[in-house]
Amino acid sequence: MYAAMRGILNKLTPQNFEKLVKQVLKLPIDTMEKLVGVINLIFDKAVDELNFVAAYAKLCYYLNIANIARQFKKGDDSNNENFRKILLNRCQREFEKDKATEYGLHKREEIVKEPNEEKRKEMRLQIEDDERRIRRHSVGVTRFIGELYKIGMINQSIMVTCIKELLKSGDEESLECLCELLTIIGKFLEESLEKKTAPGMGNTPNINVYFNKMENIVSERKTSSRVRFMLQDVIDLRNRKWVPRRNEANQKKIDEMNWATERESIEQSELTASYPQMSRGSGSGMSRRDEKSKGDTWSTLRSKCSCFDVDPHKLREKSSNEETEKNCVEVECDSESEGEHDKTKEERVKKVNSKKRCAEDIAVKAALEVLAKGAPDEHDRFGEYVALELRTLTSDCVRRKLKNDIRRAIINAAE
């Protein structure tokens, strides 16, 4: 029977959840020993597999509703024990267990007394491995308890007691479990405490008192950075009204995954079809590069900008001054070598030259103002030398190239 139960738990997924619940109900659980064994198997799987804690908690909820202990014999003295009570007793024992004594972490003092260096290293590695196992086990128990509270199998007073105990302990393991617990149940617990006062809480109608203690722990900086950041993340989560920064990767059925994939592909195809077909040159309008990339399978990047037609002439006019001057210089050099001048190119060059002269006039005026404030120095003399060299050049094309090189050198040096 236990082997069949392990096989069912290993195959538990959201897709076949209802089917496997029916298989569990058909198992011959007719004694208290078998019931406790089934509960222990579910508990151990839930604690070890943190990503499936919610699924195992949901399984417990359905088994409790179905009254899985109904197969007990009439003469059994344990009939008064139900599924929920046995499960909560196991959760309480694991939550209150002294794990440091169980795994022998009190043997740290023996490491100092051990004379053999190799044996001391082995003992340290063993203790570190035990600490990792304890931390993972504690987090698993806490998350399972939180999931049971979310589905209504644990009442509010028990959760308040768990939070108080974790804060009272104050060690890093307890604080990490506290962060995991509040991340899962914080929203539901706060809404419940706002409606009524929790038993044993006095006049505290909400969980502000616990978050104030958490803020004090963060400000005191007595814990490790890892734990402080976890506490701060929970505090920030509450300040955001328990809205996470990113959606959690919850388990989904295969049908839901297929539907999400199909919807994404439809959106992708609609987005791709919305882009206009742009061409270069004239004629049919598709260049070699466009024809080559037509069969590519790269997905189109999503953009918030709306699609629009682009006029390449306007883009050319709105390009940077440096690229425009460079193009104009190349155009003028080619025209001098070939002896032919295109009217549109000449007009464009004239416009650029006029704009450049205006900019140079402004720069000259600013430079004269700077020179007028003080006596000329070596920098001024070097500038006069550069100006004389530019004046001696007969070719405008070479002169402009030299000016561009000087500007680039100045910009690179300034950066």
Side-chain angles (χ1 to χ4, degrees), residues 363-377 380 384:
V364 170
K365 291 180 181 179
L368 291 175
E369 292 178 358
V370 174
L371 293 174
K373 294 180 180 179
D377 54 6
D380 301 322
E384 293 176 357

Side-chain angles (χ1 to χ4, degrees), residues 261-326:
T261 304
E262 183 178 357
R263 183 182 61 179
E264 185 177 356
S265 62
I266 293 173
E267 293 177 355
Q268 188 72 18
S269 60
E270 292 178 353
L271 183 64
T272 306
S274 64
Y275 281 96
Q277 297 293 334
M278 297 194 317
S279 60
R280 295 183 180 180
S282 58
S284 60
M286 183 169 290
S287 62
R288 295 181 181 177
R289 184 176 180 179
D290 296 332
E291 292 176 356
K292 183 178 180 180
S293 62
K294 185 177 180 180
D296 291 345
T297 58
W298 291 92
S299 59
T300 308
L301 295 177
R302 298 187 178 182
S303 175
K304 296 182 179 179
C305 302
S306 59
C307 300
F308 55 89
D309 296 334
V310 179
D311 187 357
H313 297 289
K314 293 183 179 180
L315 288 177
R316 191 176 301 171
E317 293 177 358
K318 293 183 178 180
S319 59
S320 61
N321 293 333
E322 183 178 347
E323 294 178 355
T324 305
E325 292 179 6
K326 183 178 179 180

Side-chain angles (χ1 to χ4, degrees), residues 144-161:
F144 186 58
I145 293 174
E147 293 293 342
L148 291 176
Y149 169 75
K150 286 175 63 177
I151 60 178
M153 293 193 68
I154 297 180
N155 56 37
Q156 173 184 302
S157 60
I158 295 178
M159 302 312 301
V160 172
T161 303

Side-chain angles (χ1 to χ4, degrees), residues 213-275:
K213 291 182 180 180
M214 293 169 62
E215 291 177 354
N216 293 335
I217 294 174
V218 173
S219 60
E220 289 174 358
R221 304 178 67 86
K222 293 182 179 180
T223 59
S224 63
S225 301
R226 174 176 170 272
V227 175
R228 288 202 308 272
F229 291 149
M230 294 181 68
L231 292 170
Q232 189 62 49
D233 289 341
V234 178
I235 295 172
D236 295 340
L237 179 62
R238 188 191 180 216
N239 293 335
R240 296 193 303 269
K241 304 299 181 182
W242 302 103
V243 177
R245 293 180 180 176
R246 57 182 181 273
N247 296 328
E248 298 180 357
N250 296 325
Q251 300 176 23
K252 296 181 179 179
K253 296 182 179 180
I254 297 178
D255 297 339
E256 296 176 353
M257 296 177 63
N258 293 337
W259 179 79
T261 304
E262 183 178 357
R263 183 182 61 179
E264 185 177 356
S265 62
I266 293 173
E267 293 177 355
Q268 188 72 18
S269 60
E270 292 178 353
L271 183 64
T272 306
S274 64
Y275 281 96

